[in-house]
Amino acid sequence: MVSIGIIAVGFLCVIGLLLLGLHVGTVMALTALVGVIYGVGPMLLNSMGNLMWGQMNSFVLTAIPLYILMGEILVNSQIAERMYRSLSDWVQWLPGKLLHSNIASSTMFSAISGSSVATAATISTVAFPTFREHGYNERWVAGSIASGATLGILIPPSINLIIYGAITDTSIGALFIAGIIPGLLLASFFVIIIAVAATIWPSIAGDGTGPETDRSGRWTRLIDLVGPVVIFALIIGSIYGGWATPTEAAAVGVVASLGLATYYGKLTFVMLNDSLLATIRITAMILFVLMGAYFLNFAMGILGIPDQVAAFISSLNVSPTVFVLCLVLLYLVLGCFLDALAMMITTIPVLFPVVVAVGFDPVWFGVFIVIMCELALLTPPVGMNLYIVQGVRNRGQITDVITGVLPFFIGILVLVALITVFPQIVTWLPEALD
C-alpha cells in the first residue's frame, strides 16, 4: 500500500508530464512502470506483454475502428452536408433562424459519427459560408457549432462511452441508451439558449434570413435525413433487439453507410482510401492511449491505490452531492490542461472504484464523465473544438469562439446539476429496456 501523499505526488507528476507535451499514452505507461518497480519490483514487468495482449485482444474494442470508419465514410461522401441543408429548411422559423441548424445537424450527425471532433469539422465547413452571406454574428455561429459538436461523444454511438465501458467493464449497450435522454435534453437547452438570445438581441441572426427554400424543395430534401435516421435505428435497434452486440452493430453501421454512399454516387476508391487512412490514424492514437491506461490500471491495482483513495474519501464523510460537486470542480480544472480523452482515461482508474463505493451507478458515472469531457472540449487553452472551429473559420481571434461558447457552457453545467439531482434522467431508459 502507498500513502495518499505519494498518490497525490504521482498524480501531479502525471499532470506535469502532460503539460510538458508528452503523449498521454506514454505518460501513463511511464507512470505505471515506475509504480510497478517501486511497489513490487522489476520482475513483474516480465508479464506485461501477456497482460497487454490480453487486454487489447478484445472484441469490444473492435467497435472503435468500425464506428470511426462509419463516420469517416459519411463525412467524405458529403452525406453530412446534405443532412445539414435539409435540416436548415425546417428550423428557420425559430428565433435565431439558421443558428438552430448547427444544433440540429450536430445532434443528428452525433448519432452516426461518435466523434465531437468530426462533428465540429464537418458542420463548420458546411455552415460558415452561408452564415457570412447573411450577416450572422460569428461569435454565436462559432459558439453554437463548437458546443453542438460536443454532443458527438454523448449521443450514441459514442467512442468515449465505448472506452469507458471497456475500462470499467460496464455494458456498452446500457451506456449507449443512457446517453440518449441527456443528449437530447442538452440539445434542447442549446436551442432554448439561442432562441432566448435571439429574442433579446435580434442582431445575432444578421439580416434574419437564410437560403431561400420553396415548399416542394423542402419536402424533397427530407430524403437526405432518411439515411442517417435509418443508420441510427439499425445500430440502436440491433443492440436492444438482441440481434447484435455493440461491435456487430458497428459493422452493420459501416455496411449501411457504404450503401448510403453508393446511393448518392459517392462510393469511389479515393473516398474509401481517405476514410480508411483516417480510421487507421485515429484508431492507432486511441488504442495507444488505451494501452497506457490498462497498464496504469494494473499498476494501481497492484499498489492498492483505488482502495486507499476510497478509504480517504469515506473518511471525509461528505454527502454524495458534495462529492459530485468536488468531481465537477476537479474536471473543470483538469479540462484547462488536458484534452477530453486524456482527462477521462487518466482519472477513470482512480475514481471509478471510489464512485461505485460511494453508491453511484456505473452507467450514471459513465454519462457524467462524458458530459465533463464535453466541457473540456470547450475549455481554453486546450479545448479541441475551439481550435477546430477557429481553424475552419480562419479569421479573427480564437477569443471570439471562446466568447461564443460561454452561454452553451452554462447549459452543460445545468445538465450536470439536473442529472445529479435526478439521476433517473440517465438510468431510467436503460432500466426500462433491460
Side-chain angles (χ1 to χ4, degrees):
M1 290 285 187
V2 293
S3 67
I4 287 294
I6 293 177
I7 294 172
V9 170
F11 185 73
L12 291 174
C13 288
V14 169
I15 300 299
L17 291 172
L18 289 171
L19 292 176
L20 289 175
L22 271 69
H23 191 277
V24 60
T26 303
V27 171
M28 288 190 290
L30 285 174
T31 305
L33 182 66
V34 172
V36 168
I37 293 175
Y38 168 80
V40 183
M43 293 301 295
L44 192 61
L45 297 177
N46 295 331
S47 62
M48 282 299 100
N50 289 333
L51 172 68
M52 288 300 100
W53 172 252
Q55 294 286 354
M56 301 303 291
N57 185 26
S58 167
F59 182 68
V60 171
L61 294 181
T62 308
I64 293 176
L66 289 173
Y67 282 121
I68 293 171
L69 177 59
M70 182 180 68
E72 289 295 327
I73 290 170
L74 294 173
V75 170
N76 292 327
S77 58
Q78 299 178 338
I79 292 168
E81 181 176 343
R82 290 175 176 272
M83 181 188 69
Y84 183 92
R85 300 201 184 284
S86 179
L87 287 169
S88 298
D89 295 338
W90 295 91
V91 297
Q92 293 191 48
W93 62 273
L94 291 167
K97 301 288 184 179
L98 277 179
L99 288 172
H100 297 287
S101 303
N102 297 335
I103 306 303
S105 54
S106 293
T107 303
M108 180 166 280
F109 190 68
S110 296
I112 53 176
S113 74
S115 167
S116 289
V117 171
T119 303
T122 302
I123 304 303
S124 295
T125 303
V126 176
F128 272 115
T130 301
F131 281 108
R132 286 171 179 164
E133 180 182 346
H134 295 278
Y136 279 68
N137 184 299
E138 285 211 13
R139 289 184 175 180
W140 277 89
V141 175
S144 61
I145 294 173
S147 304
T150 62
L151 295 166
I153 61 172
L154 179 58
I155 295 177
S158 163
I159 302 299
N160 289 55
L161 287 175
I162 294 173
I163 292 172
Y164 173 85
I167 294 176
T168 63
D169 198 27
T170 303
S171 167
I172 293 173
L175 289 167
F176 277 5
I177 296 299
I180 293 176
I181 293 178
L184 295 177
L185 195 58
L186 184 57
S188 301
F189 288 169
F190 290 165
V191 168
I192 292 169
I193 288 168
I194 291 172
V196 171
T199 301
I200 298 173
W201 304 290
S203 61
I204 69 172
D207 59 15
T209 64
E212 291 294 330
T213 304
D214 61 272
R215 186 176 296 273
S216 61
R218 182 169 62 176
W219 286 101
T220 301
R221 274 192 287 273
L222 268 180
I223 190 68
D224 294 327
L225 302 182
V226 173
V229 170
V230 168
I231 291 176
F232 176 77
L234 282 173
I235 292 171
I236 300 301
S238 62
I239 293 173
Y240 266 83
W243 309 325
T245 66
T247 302
E248 292 165 345
V252 171
V254 170
V255 173
S257 65
L258 288 171
L260 200 55
T262 303
Y263 172 80
Y264 285 114
K266 298 295 183 179
L267 185 60
T268 64
F269 176 80
V270 173
M271 187 277 285
L272 276 177
N273 183 66
D274 291 344
S275 300
L276 289 168
L277 286 176
T279 299
I280 292 169
R281 286 194 295 268
I282 297 170
T283 303
M285 180 272 293
I286 291 175
L287 293 185
F288 180 64
V289 172
L290 266 179
M291 186 179 294
Y294 281 131
F295 191 10
L296 183 61
N297 204 359
F298 171 76
M300 289 194 298
I302 291 293
L303 297 173
I305 290 176
D307 293 336
Q308 287 288 88
V309 175
F312 175 73
I313 296 296
S314 299
S315 68
L316 297 178
N317 197 28
V318 297
S319 68
T321 303
V322 173
F323 178 65
V324 171
L325 180 59
C326 292
L327 288 180
V328 170
L329 294 174
L330 171 66
Y331 280 116
L332 285 176
V333 173
L334 291 179
C336 296
F337 305 103
L338 305 178
D339 66 68
L341 185 60
M343 184 179 76
M344 188 175 90
I345 290 181
T346 53
T347 56
I348 286 175
V350 177
L351 291 177
F352 179 75
V354 178
V355 168
V356 173
V358 170
F360 288 99
D361 186 278
V363 172
W364 179 90
F365 183 59
V367 172
F368 168 82
I369 198 172
V370 166
I371 294 173
M372 297 314 299
C373 287
E374 290 186 308
L375 289 172
L377 289 168
L378 303 178
T379 307
V382 296
M384 184 63 71
N385 283 15
L386 302 176
Y387 292 98
I388 289 173
V389 172
Q390 176 62 18
V392 176
R393 179 176 174 240
N394 198 29
R395 72 182 189 187
Q397 302 295 322
I398 196 171
T399 51
D400 294 333
V401 186
I402 295 172
T403 303
V405 303
L406 289 178
F408 303 98
F409 198 92
I410 295 171
I412 298 176
L413 289 176
V414 170
L415 178 63
V416 172
L418 280 177
I419 67 168
T420 301
V421 177
F422 305 105
Q424 298 85 358
I425 293 173
V426 175
T427 59
W428 173 77
L429 191 56
E431 292 173 354
L433 294 176
D434 191 5

PDB file of all heavy atoms in Angstrom, residues 217-250:
ATOM      1  N   GLY A 217     -39.256  21.982 -52.552  1.00  0.00           N
ATOM      2  CA  GLY A 217     -37.857  21.630 -52.365  1.00  0.00           C
ATOM      3  C   GLY A 217     -37.555  21.183 -50.948  1.00  0.00           C
ATOM      4  O   GLY A 217     -36.755  20.268 -50.731  1.00  0.00           O
ATOM      5  N   ARG A 218     -38.244  21.793 -49.984  1.00  0.00           N
ATOM      6  CA  ARG A 218     -38.045  21.418 -48.587  1.00  0.00           C
ATOM      7  C   ARG A 218     -38.493  19.988 -48.345  1.00  0.00           C
ATOM      8  O   ARG A 218     -37.807  19.221 -47.660  1.00  0.00           O
ATOM      9  CB  ARG A 218     -38.824  22.388 -47.694  1.00  0.00           C
ATOM     10  CG  ARG A 218     -38.648  22.127 -46.225  1.00  0.00           C
ATOM     11  CD  ARG A 218     -39.216  23.248 -45.394  1.00  0.00           C
ATOM     12  NE  ARG A 218     -40.660  23.413 -45.590  1.00  0.00           N
ATOM     13  CZ  ARG A 218     -41.413  24.286 -44.921  1.00  0.00           C
ATOM     14  NH1 ARG A 218     -40.845  25.093 -44.040  1.00  0.00           N
ATOM     15  NH2 ARG A 218     -42.705  24.379 -45.145  1.00  0.00           N
ATOM     16  N   TRP A 219     -39.630  19.601 -48.928  1.00  0.00           N
ATOM     17  CA  TRP A 219     -40.105  18.231 -48.756  1.00  0.00           C
ATOM     18  C   TRP A 219     -39.237  17.247 -49.523  1.00  0.00           C
ATOM     19  O   TRP A 219     -39.003  16.130 -49.055  1.00  0.00           O
ATOM     20  CB  TRP A 219     -41.563  18.128 -49.223  1.00  0.00           C
ATOM     21  CG  TRP A 219     -42.524  18.750 -48.257  1.00  0.00           C
ATOM     22  CD1 TRP A 219     -43.110  19.977 -48.350  1.00  0.00           C
ATOM     23  CD2 TRP A 219     -43.001  18.169 -47.050  1.00  0.00           C
ATOM     24  NE1 TRP A 219     -43.926  20.213 -47.266  1.00  0.00           N
ATOM     25  CE2 TRP A 219     -43.884  19.118 -46.453  1.00  0.00           C
ATOM     26  CE3 TRP A 219     -42.783  16.951 -46.404  1.00  0.00           C
ATOM     27  CZ2 TRP A 219     -44.529  18.878 -45.245  1.00  0.00           C
ATOM     28  CZ3 TRP A 219     -43.439  16.704 -45.205  1.00  0.00           C
ATOM     29  CH2 TRP A 219     -44.301  17.660 -44.642  1.00  0.00           C
ATOM     30  N   THR A 220     -38.749  17.660 -50.671  1.00  0.00           N
ATOM     31  CA  THR A 220     -37.883  16.772 -51.465  1.00  0.00           C
ATOM     32  C   THR A 220     -36.601  16.450 -50.720  1.00  0.00           C
ATOM     33  O   THR A 220     -36.123  15.306 -50.731  1.00  0.00           O
ATOM     34  CB  THR A 220     -37.556  17.428 -52.819  1.00  0.00           C
ATOM     35  OG1 THR A 220     -38.765  17.688 -53.532  1.00  0.00           O
ATOM     36  CG2 THR A 220     -36.651  16.518 -53.653  1.00  0.00           C
ATOM     37  N   ARG A 221     -36.028  17.462 -50.053  1.00  0.00           N
ATOM     38  CA  ARG A 221     -34.751  17.255 -49.365  1.00  0.00           C
ATOM     39  C   ARG A 221     -34.888  16.448 -48.079  1.00  0.00           C
ATOM     40  O   ARG A 221     -33.872  16.068 -47.481  1.00  0.00           O
ATOM     41  CB  ARG A 221     -34.084  18.600 -49.075  1.00  0.00           C
ATOM     42  CG  ARG A 221     -33.238  19.105 -50.237  1.00  0.00           C
ATOM     43  CD  ARG A 221     -32.365  20.276 -49.811  1.00  0.00           C
ATOM     44  NE  ARG A 221     -33.154  21.468 -49.636  1.00  0.00           N
ATOM     45  CZ  ARG A 221     -33.448  22.327 -50.622  1.00  0.00           C
ATOM     46  NH1 ARG A 221     -33.030  22.091 -51.847  1.00  0.00           N
ATOM     47  NH2 ARG A 221     -34.169  23.407 -50.390  1.00  0.00           N
ATOM     48  N   LEU A 222     -36.092  16.176 -47.650  1.00  0.00           N
ATOM     49  CA  LEU A 222     -36.268  15.318 -46.467  1.00  0.00           C
ATOM     50  C   LEU A 222     -35.659  13.935 -46.674  1.00  0.00           C
ATOM     51  O   LEU A 222     -35.304  13.252 -45.711  1.00  0.00           O
ATOM     52  CB  LEU A 222     -37.750  15.177 -46.132  1.00  0.00           C
ATOM     53  CG  LEU A 222     -38.349  16.185 -45.139  1.00  0.00           C
ATOM     54  CD1 LEU A 222     -39.832  15.899 -44.934  1.00  0.00           C
ATOM     55  CD2 LEU A 222     -37.607  16.161 -43.819  1.00  0.00           C
ATOM     56  N   ILE A 223     -35.547  13.526 -47.946  1.00  0.00           N
ATOM     57  CA  ILE A 223     -34.964  12.217 -48.225  1.00  0.00           C
ATOM     58  C   ILE A 223     -33.541  12.122 -47.693  1.00  0.00           C
ATOM     59  O   ILE A 223     -33.044  11.033 -47.361  1.00  0.00           O
ATOM     60  CB  ILE A 223     -34.990  11.936 -49.751  1.00  0.00           C
ATOM     61  CG1 ILE A 223     -34.622  10.482 -50.042  1.00  0.00           C
ATOM     62  CG2 ILE A 223     -34.059  12.890 -50.492  1.00  0.00           C
ATOM     63  CD1 ILE A 223     -35.628   9.480 -49.582  1.00  0.00           C
ATOM     64  N   ASP A 224     -32.861  13.280 -47.578  1.00  0.00           N
ATOM     65  CA  ASP A 224     -31.474  13.279 -47.103  1.00  0.00           C
ATOM     66  C   ASP A 224     -31.367  12.988 -45.606  1.00  0.00           C
ATOM     67  O   ASP A 224     -30.261  12.746 -45.102  1.00  0.00           O
ATOM     68  CB  ASP A 224     -30.806  14.629 -47.407  1.00  0.00           C
ATOM     69  CG  ASP A 224     -30.650  14.876 -48.905  1.00  0.00           C
ATOM     70  OD1 ASP A 224     -30.448  13.875 -49.632  1.00  0.00           O
ATOM     71  OD2 ASP A 224     -30.736  16.036 -49.339  1.00  0.00           O
ATOM     72  N   LEU A 225     -32.492  13.041 -44.893  1.00  0.00           N
ATOM     73  CA  LEU A 225     -32.485  12.712 -43.469  1.00  0.00           C
ATOM     74  C   LEU A 225     -32.798  11.240 -43.206  1.00  0.00           C
ATOM     75  O   LEU A 225     -32.523  10.730 -42.121  1.00  0.00           O
ATOM     76  CB  LEU A 225     -33.506  13.573 -42.713  1.00  0.00           C
ATOM     77  CG  LEU A 225     -33.338  15.088 -42.802  1.00  0.00           C
ATOM     78  CD1 LEU A 225     -34.405  15.777 -41.966  1.00  0.00           C
ATOM     79  CD2 LEU A 225     -31.952  15.512 -42.340  1.00  0.00           C
ATOM     80  N   VAL A 226     -33.354  10.591 -44.212  1.00  0.00           N
ATOM     81  CA  VAL A 226     -33.782   9.201 -44.021  1.00  0.00           C
ATOM     82  C   VAL A 226     -32.597   8.287 -43.753  1.00  0.00           C
ATOM     83  O   VAL A 226     -32.623   7.457 -42.835  1.00  0.00           O
ATOM     84  CB  VAL A 226     -34.585   8.710 -45.243  1.00  0.00           C
ATOM     85  CG1 VAL A 226     -34.887   7.218 -45.112  1.00  0.00           C
ATOM     86  CG2 VAL A 226     -35.872   9.511 -45.389  1.00  0.00           C
ATOM     87  N   GLY A 227     -31.525   8.435 -44.540  1.00  0.00           N
ATOM     88  CA  GLY A 227     -30.358   7.562 -44.399  1.00  0.00           C
ATOM     89  C   GLY A 227     -29.748   7.610 -43.005  1.00  0.00           C
ATOM     90  O   GLY A 227     -29.581   6.554 -42.359  1.00  0.00           O
ATOM     91  N   PRO A 228     -29.387   8.815 -42.487  1.00  0.00           N
ATOM     92  CA  PRO A 228     -28.836   8.882 -41.130  1.00  0.00           C
ATOM     93  C   PRO A 228     -29.767   8.319 -40.064  1.00  0.00           C
ATOM     94  O   PRO A 228     -29.313   7.655 -39.126  1.00  0.00           O
ATOM     95  CB  PRO A 228     -28.599  10.387 -40.924  1.00  0.00           C
ATOM     96  CG  PRO A 228     -28.380  10.918 -42.298  1.00  0.00           C
ATOM     97  CD  PRO A 228     -29.291  10.112 -43.179  1.00  0.00           C
ATOM     98  N   VAL A 229     -31.081   8.579 -40.199  1.00  0.00           N
ATOM     99  CA  VAL A 229     -32.030   8.053 -39.220  1.00  0.00           C
ATOM    100  C   VAL A 229     -32.065   6.526 -39.271  1.00  0.00           C
ATOM    101  O   VAL A 229     -32.085   5.847 -38.230  1.00  0.00           O
ATOM    102  CB  VAL A 229     -33.443   8.626 -39.466  1.00  0.00           C
ATOM    103  CG1 VAL A 229     -34.477   7.899 -38.616  1.00  0.00           C
ATOM    104  CG2 VAL A 229     -33.468  10.124 -39.150  1.00  0.00           C
ATOM    105  N   VAL A 230     -32.024   5.967 -40.458  1.00  0.00           N
ATOM    106  CA  VAL A 230     -32.038   4.510 -40.609  1.00  0.00           C
ATOM    107  C   VAL A 230     -30.777   3.891 -40.003  1.00  0.00           C
ATOM    108  O   VAL A 230     -30.837   2.855 -39.323  1.00  0.00           O
ATOM    109  CB  VAL A 230     -32.170   4.119 -42.096  1.00  0.00           C
ATOM    110  CG1 VAL A 230     -31.900   2.633 -42.300  1.00  0.00           C
ATOM    111  CG2 VAL A 230     -33.567   4.470 -42.602  1.00  0.00           C
ATOM    112  N   ILE A 231     -29.636   4.531 -40.231  1.00  0.00           N
ATOM    113  CA  ILE A 231     -28.384   4.007 -39.670  1.00  0.00           C
ATOM    114  C   ILE A 231     -28.434   3.998 -38.148  1.00  0.00           C
ATOM    115  O   ILE A 231     -28.071   3.012 -37.495  1.00  0.00           O
ATOM    116  CB  ILE A 231     -27.182   4.833 -40.175  1.00  0.00           C
ATOM    117  CG1 ILE A 231     -26.971   4.597 -41.670  1.00  0.00           C
ATOM    118  CG2 ILE A 231     -25.913   4.467 -39.411  1.00  0.00           C
ATOM    119  CD1 ILE A 231     -25.881   5.446 -42.277  1.00  0.00           C
ATOM    120  N   PHE A 232     -28.901   5.111 -37.561  1.00  0.00           N
ATOM    121  CA  PHE A 232     -29.015   5.175 -36.098  1.00  0.00           C
ATOM    122  C   PHE A 232     -29.975   4.100 -35.593  1.00  0.00           C
ATOM    123  O   PHE A 232     -29.698   3.409 -34.603  1.00  0.00           O
ATOM    124  CB  PHE A 232     -29.512   6.562 -35.682  1.00  0.00           C
ATOM    125  CG  PHE A 232     -29.747   6.701 -34.199  1.00  0.00           C
ATOM    126  CD1 PHE A 232     -28.683   6.853 -33.327  1.00  0.00           C
ATOM    127  CD2 PHE A 232     -31.033   6.665 -33.680  1.00  0.00           C
ATOM    128  CE1 PHE A 232     -28.900   6.983 -31.959  1.00  0.00           C
ATOM    129  CE2 PHE A 232     -31.258   6.796 -32.323  1.00  0.00           C
ATOM    130  CZ  PHE A 232     -30.184   6.948 -31.456  1.00  0.00           C
ATOM    131  N   ALA A 233     -31.116   3.936 -36.268  1.00  0.00           N
ATOM    132  CA  ALA A 233     -32.103   2.940 -35.849  1.00  0.00           C
ATOM    133  C   ALA A 233     -31.538   1.527 -35.969  1.00  0.00           C
ATOM    134  O   ALA A 233     -31.797   0.669 -35.112  1.00  0.00           O
ATOM    135  CB  ALA A 233     -33.370   3.077 -36.689  1.00  0.00           C
ATOM    136  N   LEU A 234     -30.759   1.275 -37.012  1.00  0.00           N
ATOM    137  CA  LEU A 234     -30.152  -0.041 -37.182  1.00  0.00           C
ATOM    138  C   LEU A 234     -29.184  -0.351 -36.047  1.00  0.00           C
ATOM    139  O   LEU A 234     -29.168  -1.465 -35.510  1.00  0.00           O
ATOM    140  CB  LEU A 234     -29.416  -0.116 -38.524  1.00  0.00           C
ATOM    141  CG  LEU A 234     -30.272  -0.325 -39.772  1.00  0.00           C
ATOM    142  CD1 LEU A 234     -29.418  -0.198 -41.024  1.00  0.00           C
ATOM    143  CD2 LEU A 234     -30.964  -1.679 -39.728  1.00  0.00           C
ATOM    144  N   ILE A 235     -28.369   0.647 -35.664  1.00  0.00           N
ATOM    145  CA  ILE A 235     -27.365   0.429 -34.622  1.00  0.00           C
ATOM    146  C   ILE A 235     -28.040   0.177 -33.270  1.00  0.00           C
ATOM    147  O   ILE A 235     -27.799  -0.846 -32.621  1.00  0.00           O
ATOM    148  CB  ILE A 235     -26.407   1.635 -34.543  1.00  0.00           C
ATOM    149  CG1 ILE A 235     -25.557   1.711 -35.803  1.00  0.00           C
ATOM    150  CG2 ILE A 235     -25.508   1.527 -33.305  1.00  0.00           C
ATOM    151  CD1 ILE A 235     -24.735   2.973 -35.912  1.00  0.00           C
ATOM    152  N   ILE A 236     -28.871   1.123 -32.846  1.00  0.00           N
ATOM    153  CA  ILE A 236     -29.503   1.000 -31.532  1.00  0.00           C
ATOM    154  C   ILE A 236     -30.529  -0.134 -31.524  1.00  0.00           C
ATOM    155  O   ILE A 236     -30.613  -0.903 -30.560  1.00  0.00           O
ATOM    156  CB  ILE A 236     -30.171   2.329 -31.133  1.00  0.00           C
ATOM    157  CG1 ILE A 236     -29.118   3.462 -31.080  1.00  0.00           C
ATOM    158  CG2 ILE A 236     -30.856   2.189 -29.780  1.00  0.00           C
ATOM    159  CD1 ILE A 236     -27.987   3.210 -30.111  1.00  0.00           C
ATOM    160  N   GLY A 237     -31.299  -0.265 -32.609  1.00  0.00           N
ATOM    161  CA  GLY A 237     -32.308  -1.310 -32.665  1.00  0.00           C
ATOM    162  C   GLY A 237     -31.710  -2.702 -32.654  1.00  0.00           C
ATOM    163  O   GLY A 237     -32.240  -3.610 -31.988  1.00  0.00           O
ATOM    164  N   SER A 238     -30.596  -2.894 -33.355  1.00  0.00           N
ATOM    165  CA  SER A 238     -29.975  -4.220 -33.382  1.00  0.00           C
ATOM    166  C   SER A 238     -29.385  -4.593 -32.032  1.00  0.00           C
ATOM    167  O   SER A 238     -29.385  -5.768 -31.641  1.00  0.00           O
ATOM    168  CB  SER A 238     -28.893  -4.277 -34.467  1.00  0.00           C
ATOM    169  OG  SER A 238     -27.859  -3.341 -34.205  1.00  0.00           O
ATOM    170  N   ILE A 239     -28.892  -3.585 -31.296  1.00  0.00           N
ATOM    171  CA  ILE A 239     -28.338  -3.862 -29.966  1.00  0.00           C
ATOM    172  C   ILE A 239     -29.443  -4.269 -28.997  1.00  0.00           C
ATOM    173  O   ILE A 239     -29.369  -5.302 -28.326  1.00  0.00           O
ATOM    174  CB  ILE A 239     -27.577  -2.630 -29.425  1.00  0.00           C
ATOM    175  CG1 ILE A 239     -26.320  -2.368 -30.256  1.00  0.00           C
ATOM    176  CG2 ILE A 239     -27.196  -2.835 -27.953  1.00  0.00           C
ATOM    177  CD1 ILE A 239     -25.606  -1.082 -29.896  1.00  0.00           C
ATOM    178  N   TYR A 240     -30.492  -3.441 -28.920  1.00  0.00           N
ATOM    179  CA  TYR A 240     -31.540  -3.720 -27.936  1.00  0.00           C
ATOM    180  C   TYR A 240     -32.609  -4.678 -28.436  1.00  0.00           C
ATOM    181  O   TYR A 240     -33.455  -5.126 -27.656  1.00  0.00           O
ATOM    182  CB  TYR A 240     -32.145  -2.409 -27.423  1.00  0.00           C
ATOM    183  CG  TYR A 240     -31.440  -1.993 -26.167  1.00  0.00           C
ATOM    184  CD1 TYR A 240     -30.249  -1.304 -26.227  1.00  0.00           C
ATOM    185  CD2 TYR A 240     -31.924  -2.362 -24.921  1.00  0.00           C
ATOM    186  CE1 TYR A 240     -29.567  -0.969 -25.086  1.00  0.00           C
ATOM    187  CE2 TYR A 240     -31.249  -2.031 -23.769  1.00  0.00           C
ATOM    188  CZ  TYR A 240     -30.069  -1.327 -23.848  1.00  0.00           C
ATOM    189  OH  TYR A 240     -29.391  -1.019 -22.718  1.00  0.00           O
ATOM    190  N   GLY A 241     -32.548  -5.012 -29.727  1.00  0.00           N
ATOM    191  CA  GLY A 241     -33.411  -6.071 -30.225  1.00  0.00           C
ATOM    192  C   GLY A 241     -32.800  -7.444 -30.004  1.00  0.00           C
ATOM    193  O   GLY A 241     -33.445  -8.466 -30.262  1.00  0.00           O
ATOM    194  N   GLY A 242     -31.553  -7.454 -29.541  1.00  0.00           N
ATOM    195  CA  GLY A 242     -30.881  -8.713 -29.275  1.00  0.00           C
ATOM    196  C   GLY A 242     -30.297  -9.362 -30.515  1.00  0.00           C
ATOM    197  O   GLY A 242     -29.851 -10.515 -30.480  1.00  0.00           O
ATOM    198  N   TRP A 243     -30.247  -8.616 -31.622  1.00  0.00           N
ATOM    199  CA  TRP A 243     -29.740  -9.185 -32.871  1.00  0.00           C
ATOM    200  C   TRP A 243     -28.227  -9.045 -32.993  1.00  0.00           C
ATOM    201  O   TRP A 243     -27.596  -9.786 -33.742  1.00  0.00           O
ATOM    202  CB  TRP A 243     -30.394  -8.491 -34.075  1.00  0.00           C
ATOM    203  CG  TRP A 243     -31.872  -8.435 -33.998  1.00  0.00           C
ATOM    204  CD1 TRP A 243     -32.705  -9.388 -33.465  1.00  0.00           C
ATOM    205  CD2 TRP A 243     -32.730  -7.370 -34.429  1.00  0.00           C
ATOM    206  NE1 TRP A 243     -34.009  -8.995 -33.544  1.00  0.00           N
ATOM    207  CE2 TRP A 243     -34.064  -7.752 -34.136  1.00  0.00           C
ATOM    208  CE3 TRP A 243     -32.521  -6.144 -35.035  1.00  0.00           C
ATOM    209  CZ2 TRP A 243     -35.161  -6.953 -34.432  1.00  0.00           C
ATOM    210  CZ3 TRP A 243     -33.600  -5.344 -35.337  1.00  0.00           C
ATOM    211  CH2 TRP A 243     -34.903  -5.741 -35.032  1.00  0.00           C
ATOM    212  N   ALA A 244     -27.655  -8.070 -32.276  1.00  0.00           N
ATOM    213  CA  ALA A 244     -26.228  -7.805 -32.453  1.00  0.00           C
ATOM    214  C   ALA A 244     -25.644  -7.230 -31.178  1.00  0.00           C
ATOM    215  O   ALA A 244     -26.344  -6.571 -30.399  1.00  0.00           O
ATOM    216  CB  ALA A 244     -26.008  -6.826 -33.614  1.00  0.00           C
ATOM    217  N   THR A 245     -24.371  -7.471 -30.965  1.00  0.00           N
ATOM    218  CA  THR A 245     -23.623  -6.799 -29.903  1.00  0.00           C
ATOM    219  C   THR A 245     -23.285  -5.395 -30.385  1.00  0.00           C
ATOM    220  O   THR A 245     -23.424  -5.087 -31.585  1.00  0.00           O
ATOM    221  CB  THR A 245     -22.326  -7.561 -29.604  1.00  0.00           C
ATOM    222  OG1 THR A 245     -21.473  -7.484 -30.769  1.00  0.00           O
ATOM    223  CG2 THR A 245     -22.599  -9.019 -29.265  1.00  0.00           C
ATOM    224  N   PRO A 246     -22.826  -4.493 -29.495  1.00  0.00           N
ATOM    225  CA  PRO A 246     -22.418  -3.160 -29.961  1.00  0.00           C
ATOM    226  C   PRO A 246     -21.353  -3.212 -31.058  1.00  0.00           C
ATOM    227  O   PRO A 246     -21.358  -2.377 -31.966  1.00  0.00           O
ATOM    228  CB  PRO A 246     -21.878  -2.509 -28.679  1.00  0.00           C
ATOM    229  CG  PRO A 246     -22.670  -3.148 -27.588  1.00  0.00           C
ATOM    230  CD  PRO A 246     -22.844  -4.573 -28.019  1.00  0.00           C
ATOM    231  N   THR A 247     -20.456  -4.178 -30.990  1.00  0.00           N
ATOM    232  CA  THR A 247     -19.424  -4.304 -32.019  1.00  0.00           C
ATOM    233  C   THR A 247     -20.033  -4.742 -33.342  1.00  0.00           C
ATOM    234  O   THR A 247     -19.715  -4.198 -34.410  1.00  0.00           O
ATOM    235  CB  THR A 247     -18.344  -5.306 -31.576  1.00  0.00           C
ATOM    236  OG1 THR A 247     -17.772  -4.856 -30.347  1.00  0.00           O
ATOM    237  CG2 THR A 247     -17.256  -5.428 -32.631  1.00  0.00           C
ATOM    238  N   GLU A 248     -20.902  -5.732 -33.297  1.00  0.00           N
ATOM    239  CA  GLU A 248     -21.566  -6.186 -34.523  1.00  0.00           C
ATOM    240  C   GLU A 248     -22.461  -5.087 -35.093  1.00  0.00           C
ATOM    241  O   GLU A 248     -22.575  -4.935 -36.323  1.00  0.00           O
ATOM    242  CB  GLU A 248     -22.377  -7.440 -34.222  1.00  0.00           C
ATOM    243  CG  GLU A 248     -21.511  -8.657 -33.888  1.00  0.00           C
ATOM    244  CD  GLU A 248     -22.291  -9.785 -33.238  1.00  0.00           C
ATOM    245  OE1 GLU A 248     -23.429  -9.538 -32.780  1.00  0.00           O
ATOM    246  OE2 GLU A 248     -21.761 -10.909 -33.182  1.00  0.00           O
ATOM    247  N   ALA A 249     -23.088  -4.310 -34.207  1.00  0.00           N
ATOM    248  CA  ALA A 249     -23.923  -3.192 -34.667  1.00  0.00           C
ATOM    249  C   ALA A 249     -23.073  -2.152 -35.395  1.00  0.00           C
ATOM    250  O   ALA A 249     -23.541  -1.510 -36.342  1.00  0.00           O
ATOM    251  CB  ALA A 249     -24.638  -2.553 -33.478  1.00  0.00           C
ATOM    252  N   ALA A 250     -21.825  -1.984 -34.946  1.00  0.00           N
ATOM    253  CA  ALA A 250     -20.920  -1.057 -35.628  1.00  0.00           C
ATOM    254  C   ALA A 250     -20.647  -1.525 -37.057  1.00  0.00           C
ATOM    255  O   ALA A 250     -20.608  -0.711 -37.994  1.00  0.00           O
ATOM    256  CB  ALA A 250     -19.611  -0.940 -34.854  1.00  0.00           C
TER     257      ALA A 250
END
